[in-house]
Amino acid sequence: MFLDLIILILLVIAALWTVMTRSLLRASLGLALVSAILTLIMFNMDASLAAVFELSVCAGLIPVLFISVISLTQPLTFKEALEHMRSRMARFWELPLLVLILGVILVLLSAKFKAKLPALETQASARFVLWHLRQLDLLGQIIILFGGVFGVAVLFKERKKRG
Amino acid sequence: MYALLILAPFLGSFILNLPFRKVNKRLSFGVCAALFLLQMAVILIPDFGLNKINPAALANIFNFDLGVDALSKVMLFCTGLVAFVTLCTSSFFLKDGDDKFNFANVLLIAVSGMNGIVLAQDIFSLYVFLEITAVASFILIAFNREELGLEGAFKYILLSSIATVLMIAGIALFFLVSGSTHFAVIHSALLAQDKSLLINLAIALFVSALFIKGGLMPFHGWLPDAYSSAPAASSVFLAGIVTKAAGVYVLIRMLVSLVGFSLTLKSVLLFVGAFSAIIGAIAALTQTDFKRMLSYSSISQIGYIMLGVGTGTVLGLAGAALHIFNHAVFKSLLFMNSAAVEKALGTRDTSKMGGLGSQMPVTGLTSVLGSLSCAGIPPLAGFWSKLIIIIALWSAGFKTYAVIAILGSVLTLAYFLSLQRSVFFGKLNAEFRNIKEAGFSLLFPMILLGVITLGVGIFLPLVLDKFILSFNAVLGG
Amino acid sequence: MVSAIFVVLLLVIGIYCILATYNLIRVLIGVEILIKAVTLLIIAAGRQNGNMALAQAMVVSIIVIEVVIMTIAVGVVIGIHRYNNSLDSRKIRKLKG
């Protein structure tokens, strides 16, 4: 329980760092870190299938995607970056405070809040559920991947010269 | 057999991308058109050959859980119709063979996604298909990769993602309280428990996500931008069906199958509906950009649909469904008119136009039909749906809202009259002396939709009872 | 139960990031954090009600969808950059709400 709590706090700190760090590159890496910590939480909660996906796709693929955009778009000059950093700090300094206060309020509130929740025990494995009971979702995933391929074909296509 | 409606468009696009691309490129238009027409035929003709396929035969291969009622049939038909006219429009506007091919493919993906939304009986599958539709519409908006289109697409991506996040949060809470994502299981779980804070929170998250997706008034920011910046064919598709399927239909489905109509929900829906109907119409009055005006008009009409839904009665629901159909017809028609005018003149600024009716007779005539139907003038189709909605409001005891609906109708008439006067009537601007009417592939769908508006308006009263009665099952089930 | 608090905190961070930033990529990063938050919520819900298998199936779908959407979004951002040479949303507000 105590360990869970520490990991969750780490998650929020990583997210804060991702949002507040001044370099875009570090923000992308921070996102990977958030995903990695989320993977830990998932393992801790016995969600190993989801955890593997999260680690390979979200911690691996998406930051690569962001970093490739950043490298395609030009970086700022040093002076601009300094200016940029100052204005960022002005906009973001309240956020950690806000998060902290909100966290305390929520902890206090949650002591009062009691919900009746069902406790079912299903023994089906995640793999079985995914492949046998959620076939419609699988079809949906195939279609959306196909759609993504077309999106790439349309959006990244070399522009033809038009007369 | 309805599983085919999801599978067929996807397989169609899959087969088109197998080798022999040269042949496939020529075939793409025909394949798409055939699929969309088939979809309409399956809904319209009960004895159609495809309807006789034994469902058990398919169930052996796929384990899909799908369901159909009167409302989904209306949506499926609209999807087929709007997709078909969009295809015609795209073949008029896109000259490049590759572009046409890609557009047809993305359209197929979008149709497959929307059929999935309409047929799904599971809240999470519904979300998956919602995202398919959303991805396809992002691509359609950014299709020409022009500056405005990309910007509109980004706005849409951002707001749609926020809506998605709200929606998943709602789904997670429903899942938490019921242990499943199937409509029926959640419904019985919600009935068993009292309306706790958690359930109310889930409903609120879900409804606000759908308000964003549907472009209702406080959350409408993305809609005029996305519609007006999208390429012509895409905006026909988006305005005609996508927002209705992704926002309005899902909202109705959720109310009907998932949570039921509570008094609070009804009053929220009615208020947001009335607000959108009136403010959307007023905003439309002030626009001089043809497509932006139509976008605000869309917001206003979606408000009407919400007013119908908000009554929570069979009559209101039937009126809303009929208005969804009518809106799909006349708004696609009007967006095609605007595309034809823009193509001929090179501008969308209505203040620079005038007297185009003499140069573009078919466009002018069909746009008069479309506008009058939208404003609810008898005997056009829009009159009946608005009449049903207003009667439903009145008989359910929401008399103030009925009066607001009538007022909104007058406003609608006002902005369409001013649009018609400034675009198609009046004196012809000298520099537009030698413009020509659009080509056949654009005129054909315009005439088709014009005839549907007129025909439905004249013949609907004959089958109105049957149509409304079929919605008993929607609310009962 | 404890996780729910952290979900709310993550949501706040993500929304703040979207509202306070002018950089399009940072907006997308904010959206990513929001999606992470709801992923955590689903897993926590599955843990709570014992149906972890379904929760995992949902999370897998969400991850696949997330990747596709981010790819499209990145494509759009690159397109915008090609026109403006900038990712600052203040410079590219041609469309007004």
Side-chain angles (χ1 to χ4, degrees):
Chain A
M1 192 61 222
F2 186 64
L3 189 71
D4 287 359
L5 200 64
I6 289 184
I7 302 179
L8 281 168
I9 291 173
L10 274 180
L11 181 70
V12 168
I13 292 175
L16 268 178
W17 185 67
T18 306
V19 170
M20 295 183 65
T21 182
R22 59 178 184 280
S23 122
L24 268 177
L25 212 60
R26 266 184 241 164
S28 317
L29 293 176
L31 201 59
L33 191 63
V34 171
S35 281
I37 298 174
L38 191 58
T39 308
L40 273 183
I41 295 172
M42 283 175 177
F43 265 122
N44 226 355
M45 289 186 172
D46 306 323
S48 48
L49 183 70
V52 170
F53 256 80
E54 176 76 31
L55 189 65
S56 60
V57 178
C58 291
L61 193 58
I62 289 182
V64 171
L65 211 66
F66 281 131
I67 290 171
S68 59
V69 196
I70 296 163
S71 64
L72 276 175
T73 55
Q74 290 103 343
L76 301 168
T77 63
F78 181 72
K79 205 176 166 191
E80 274 174 342
L82 209 67
E83 192 62 31
H84 183 65
M85 191 181 86
R86 283 209 191 102
S87 76
R88 276 189 69 71
M89 275 303 134
R91 278 180 281 137
F92 276 93
W93 67 269
E94 314 100 318
L95 183 58
L97 237 75
L98 185 70
V99 168
L100 204 65
I101 295 169
L102 201 68
V104 172
I105 292 174
L106 283 172
V107 168
L108 292 179
L109 274 182
S110 68
K112 285 186 186 170
F113 182 80
K114 281 199 184 68
K116 268 186 300 176
L117 295 171
L120 348 146
E121 275 309 320
T122 45
Q123 296 303 322
S125 80
R127 252 165 261 273
F128 176 81
V129 170
L130 188 61
W131 287 103
H132 293 273
L133 303 181
R134 312 294 303 177
Q135 284 184 349
L136 199 54
D137 291 1
L138 283 182
L139 176 69
Q141 288 179 27
I142 297 170
I143 299 177
I144 203 169
L145 283 174
F146 210 67
V149 171
F150 278 111
V152 171
V154 169
L155 291 170
F156 291 91
K157 184 182 61 176
E158 279 305 307
R159 187 171 291 270
K160 276 187 190 162
K161 292 236 163 66
R162 291 197 182 121
Chain B
M1 112 84 225
Y2 284 101
L4 281 181
L5 286 180
I6 304 175
L7 280 172
F10 170 59
L11 288 181
S13 117
F14 188 76
I15 289 167
L16 283 178
N17 281 282
L18 292 178
F20 310 113
R21 277 180 72 100
K22 259 193 183 148
V23 186
N24 287 339
K25 263 177 206 166
R26 292 212 196 104
L27 283 178
S28 63
F29 181 86
V31 170
C32 288
L35 281 172
F36 299 151
L37 289 175
L38 264 180
Q39 179 165 342
M40 285 192 269
V42 164
I43 302 304
L44 215 56
I45 311 166
D47 294 335
F48 196 71
L50 277 176
N51 281 334
K52 292 193 177 138
I53 295 177
N54 188 3
L58 276 172
N60 288 335
I61 317 171
F62 306 109
N63 186 11
F64 293 162
D65 188 9
L66 305 170
V68 169
D69 57 17
L71 181 63
S72 6
K73 281 187 177 165
V74 171
M75 290 305 299
L76 290 172
F77 183 78
C78 293
T79 309
L81 181 66
V82 177
F84 178 69
V85 296
T86 307
L87 190 68
C88 296
T89 317
S90 80
S91 78
F92 176 71
F93 279 96
L94 301 174
K95 292 289 167 243
D96 187 47
D98 275 344
D99 280 351
K100 274 185 190 175
F101 180 69
N102 282 335
F103 194 93
N105 276 303
V106 178
L107 203 59
L108 281 174
I109 299 278
V111 167
S112 164
M114 277 191 294
N115 289 346
I117 294 177
V118 172
L119 294 170
Q121 289 296 304
D122 180 293
I123 194 168
F124 191 76
S125 305
L126 190 148
Y127 155 77
V128 171
F129 283 99
L130 205 64
E131 287 293 22
I132 296 173
T133 314
V135 164
S137 24
F138 301 154
I139 303 170
L140 288 179
I141 295 174
F143 197 82
N144 283 353
R145 292 192 301 166
E146 279 159 1
E147 196 179 358
L148 290 182
L150 288 168
E151 215 175 299
F154 190 82
K155 255 190 164 176
Y156 188 28
I157 290 176
L158 178 58
L159 275 161
S160 166
S161 306
I162 291 172
T164 299
V165 166
L166 293 176
M167 195 179 280
I168 304 177
I171 292 174
L173 293 181
F174 281 133
F175 170 59
L176 178 63
V177 294
S178 71
S180 167
T181 52
H182 195 275
F183 282 162
V185 180
I186 298 178
H187 187 64
S188 51
L190 295 194
L191 284 182
Q193 303 179 24
D194 271 347
K195 292 261 162 132
S196 69
L197 183 68
L198 215 54
I199 293 174
N200 284 334
L201 182 64
I203 295 173
L205 285 169
F206 217 86
V207 169
S208 45
L210 293 172
F211 280 173
I212 297 179
K213 283 262 181 191
L216 280 147
M217 204 55 187
F219 311 103
H220 69 286
W222 60 273
L223 191 143
D225 292 343
Y227 282 13
S228 63
S229 63
S234 312
S235 48
V236 170
F237 192 58
L238 284 173
I241 193 74
V242 171
T243 16
K244 261 114 255 151
V248 179
Y249 171 81
V250 181
L251 188 60
I252 301 177
R253 177 58 62 207
M254 181 199 131
L255 287 169
V256 167
S257 312
L258 216 57
V259 298
F261 290 90
S262 70
L263 204 61
T264 337
L265 264 179
K266 274 190 204 172
S267 47
V268 168
L269 286 180
L270 286 172
F271 178 76
V272 171
F275 188 67
S276 303
I278 295 294
I279 306 292
I282 291 173
L285 261 176
T286 62
Q287 297 294 324
T288 54
D289 180 326
F290 204 149
K291 271 170 122 179
R292 277 187 100 76
M293 202 210 84
L294 292 179
S295 316
Y296 279 107
S297 158
S298 260
I299 296 175
S300 159
Q301 299 305 317
I302 292 172
Y304 268 100
I305 298 172
M306 279 299 121
L307 279 176
V309 176
T311 58
T313 59
V314 173
L315 195 62
L317 212 58
L322 189 55
H323 205 62
I324 290 178
F325 169 73
N326 285 336
H327 187 262
V329 173
F330 61 65
K331 201 41 67 71
S332 316
L333 177 57
L334 287 167
F335 266 101
M336 272 192 272
N337 297 142
S338 82
V341 169
E342 188 187 354
K343 172 93 174 171
L345 267 56
T347 175
R348 296 203 299 253
D349 194 342
T350 51
S351 59
K352 289 182 190 151
M353 301 172 189
L356 295 180
S358 58
Q359 306 297 104
M360 309 174 83
V362 180
T363 309
L365 185 68
T366 49
S367 93
V368 169
L369 278 177
S371 329
L372 290 184
S373 177
C374 187
I377 303 296
L380 295 165
F383 168 70
W384 298 106
S385 51
K386 283 199 175 175
L387 187 69
I388 296 175
I389 290 175
I390 290 168
I391 292 175
L393 281 169
W394 191 270
S395 58
F398 302 110
K399 296 190 176 159
T400 335
Y401 285 115
V403 174
I404 291 177
I406 296 171
L407 187 70
S409 215
V410 175
L411 280 173
T412 311
L413 189 60
Y415 66 72
F416 272 124
L417 282 183
S418 85
L419 175 82
Q420 291 295 340
R421 211 188 48 198
S422 63
V423 178
F424 293 108
F425 294 93
K427 215 175 83 207
L428 183 65
N429 202 330
E431 58 178 305
F432 299 135
R433 180 84 5 114
N434 42 17
I435 57 161
K436 285 199 189 76
E437 182 64 286
F440 176 74
S441 60
L442 195 57
L443 290 185
F444 169 68
M446 277 186 202
I447 295 170
L448 178 73
L449 292 181
V451 168
I452 290 179
T453 312
L454 199 61
V456 168
I458 292 170
F459 294 110
L460 185 73
L462 304 177
V463 291
L464 201 56
D465 295 345
K466 239 179 163 180
F467 180 78
I468 294 173
L469 277 181
S470 65
F471 277 82
N472 269 325
V474 179
L475 264 188
Chain C
M1 196 60 236
V2 183
S3 328
I5 296 172
F6 287 90
V7 170
V8 175
L9 294 183
L10 279 182
L11 286 176
V12 168
I13 294 173
I15 289 171
Y16 196 98
C17 176
I18 292 173
L19 291 180
T21 191
Y22 299 120
N23 188 303
L24 297 186
I25 296 176
R26 268 181 212 278
V27 171
L28 293 184
I29 287 175
V31 170
E32 273 289 307
I33 289 179
L34 290 182
I35 297 178
K36 293 283 170 286
V38 285
T39 312
L40 178 59
L41 184 61
I42 285 191
I43 289 289
R47 169 86 162 179
Q48 185 76 41
N49 68 15
N51 200 349
M52 191 47 117
L54 181 55
Q56 291 198 56
M58 288 201 273
V59 168
V60 170
S61 299
I62 288 177
I63 290 172
V64 171
I65 291 167
E66 176 190 344
V67 169
V68 172
I69 291 199
M70 280 302 143
T71 316
I72 304 284
V74 159
V76 169
V77 166
I78 291 177
I80 291 176
H81 183 267
R82 205 177 286 164
Y83 280 103
N84 297 82
N85 254 332
S86 157
L87 289 178
D88 193 326
S89 62
R90 283 166 296 189
K91 288 181 192 156
I92 55 178
R93 265 202 190 131
K94 290 246 165 60
L95 298 167
K96 56 233 174 279

